[in-house]
Amino acid sequence: MGEITIAVDGPGSSGKGTVARRVATALGYQFVDTGAMYRTVGLYCLRDGVDVRDEAGATAVARGLRFHFAFRDGALRVEADGVDVTDAIRAEAVGLAASAVAVHPGVRGALLGLQRALGAGGGVVMDGRDIGTVILPDAELKVYLDASADERARRRWLQHPEQDFATVREELVARDAQDAGRATAPLRCADDAVRIDSTGLGIDEVVARIVALAHQRRGG
Ligand code: DC
């Protein structure tokens, strides 16, 4: 068998992004961060004064964006319409806006074709919320990465230690509820996904487990 497709889903701050990127590097695969696409839509809505609750407005923003993913100095850069948004999309307000626009079927539909195209052909690790359930339902390996809310809040707070821990935890739990509670493509563990709880596990251990699973699925 040739190169496989790996879907990594899970809630915020479960370590998905870091783990998926490292698995891709270990296997020599391409890494696709679908959250970055929703974040970019959120960023442009905030910049252009489009209400994130306005489906038609947010969908027009999503349809109009041209994404480009590039590796520079070993790091993945995200460009939208030729502008590097890699750092801007990491802001907490942009994460909340991303979760809000991701509720709209129109926005999801606008990004679906690009995400499927990037996953076609194998040799890809794609991370998100609905990759194993909706975007790449035939992925050879699906992983659902979870961790307790306290552990995930602690990880996020370590990245933003200037913020109040209780507020960080509250926002995280609210965003999970929005991502898991929406009608279209909610965050959910696919029936055929391998669930890994990373509470108390180091990143190296999680990466090694997934790489071993990938070798198995690839047939050696
Ligand atoms: O993984 P992240 O924190 O960068 O994602 C930001 C938001 O984007 C997340 O709260 C929900 C949304 N998202 C989604 O709905 N579907 C995806 N495949 C990826 C992200």
Side-chain angles (χ1 to χ4, degrees):
M1 185 172 187
E3 305 303 349
I4 63 168
T5 302
I6 304 175
V8 182
D9 291 302
S13 291
S14 56
K16 283 185 308 354
T18 310
V19 164
R21 182 172 301 143
R22 292 211 11 209
V23 168
T25 304
L27 295 170
Y29 282 16
Q30 202 192 336
F31 165 63
V32 179
D33 174 3
T34 61
M37 298 179 195
Y38 288 98
R39 284 173 178 269
T40 305
V41 176
L43 175 71
Y44 275 72
C45 285
L46 295 178
R47 274 196 190 163
D48 299 346
V50 174
D51 186 341
V52 292
R53 291 164 303 184
D54 168 16
E55 174 161 14
T59 301
V61 170
R63 285 210 185 117
L65 285 171
R66 291 287 159 268
F67 288 99
H68 181 66
F69 296 89
F71 268 96
R72 259 203 305 282
D73 303 324
L76 182 74
R77 311 294 304 182
V78 186
E79 288 172 10
D81 297 338
V83 179
D84 188 322
V85 295
T86 316
D87 300 322
I89 59 173
R90 291 297 139 203
E92 197 56 26
V94 175
L96 295 173
S99 178
V101 296
V103 162
H104 304 308
V107 170
R108 308 200 69 84
L111 301 178
L112 182 135
L114 171 63
Q115 293 171 356
R116 286 211 172 130
L118 289 169
V124 172
V125 182
M126 190 175 292
D127 108 62
R129 300 290 187 292
D130 61 338
I131 309 307
T133 51
V134 175
I135 304 298
L136 304 172
D138 297 327
E140 286 86 358
L141 175 59
K142 299 179 185 178
V143 175
Y144 188 87
L145 197 57
D146 209 349
S148 71
D150 281 335
E151 171 68 14
R152 292 185 295 110
R154 194 185 63 83
R155 290 177 192 166
R156 178 155 301 187
W157 178 75
L158 285 173
Q159 290 171 341
H160 304 276
E162 71 286 356
Q163 291 175 11
D164 171 49
F165 178 79
T167 309
V168 169
R169 192 181 185 287
E170 260 168 44
E171 283 185 1
L172 184 74
V173 169
R175 182 133 75 90
D176 288 348
Q178 179 159 263
D179 293 341
R182 67 181 174 228
T184 308
L187 167 66
R188 183 171 79 71
C189 178
D191 296 337
D192 51 352
V194 177
R195 186 190 273 269
I196 299 178
D197 188 329
S198 73
T199 314
L201 288 182
I203 286 183
D204 289 345
E205 213 171 330
V206 178
V207 171
R209 254 191 225 187
I210 299 174
V211 168
L213 285 166
H215 286 309
Q216 268 174 26
R217 301 284 159 105
R218 206 164 51 171

